[in-house]
Amino acid sequence: MNTGFDTFYQNNVPANVMGRVGSIYGFIEAFFIIIGTIIFGLLAEFLSIRFVVVAGSLIMCFVTILLFIVNTRPSKAAYYSEEHTFQISNTK
């Protein structure tokens, strides 16, 4: 995990389920790492490794831009405000 995700996670996941949510996230992340490694390994075996690395980089860049656009919409602004964090901490 990274600092930005950790901060978002701590501010938006209730403390009583934080361990469960973290475990599920870790499982899903590990699953996708294994599947991605298998797919990229098979593609590298049949295509050139250079093509697979460049294609993977372009796909990751596209996904990053897409996630940035989705997360910076005005409808998501409440997730990144101090008031949202304050409201969650007061409901515990």
Side-chain angles (χ1 to χ4, degrees), residues 33-75:
I33 288 171
I34 292 168
I35 296 300
T37 303
I38 292 170
I39 290 171
F40 277 86
L42 289 172
L43 287 174
E45 194 67 33
F46 296 111
L47 305 171
S48 72
I49 187 74
R50 181 178 297 172
F51 175 78
V52 174
V53 170
V54 170
S57 298
L58 291 173
I59 290 169
M60 286 187 277
C61 186
F62 173 74
V63 170
T64 301
I65 293 169
L66 182 67
L67 289 174
F68 176 78
I69 291 169
V70 169
N71 283 306
T72 55
R73 289 177 182 240
S75 62

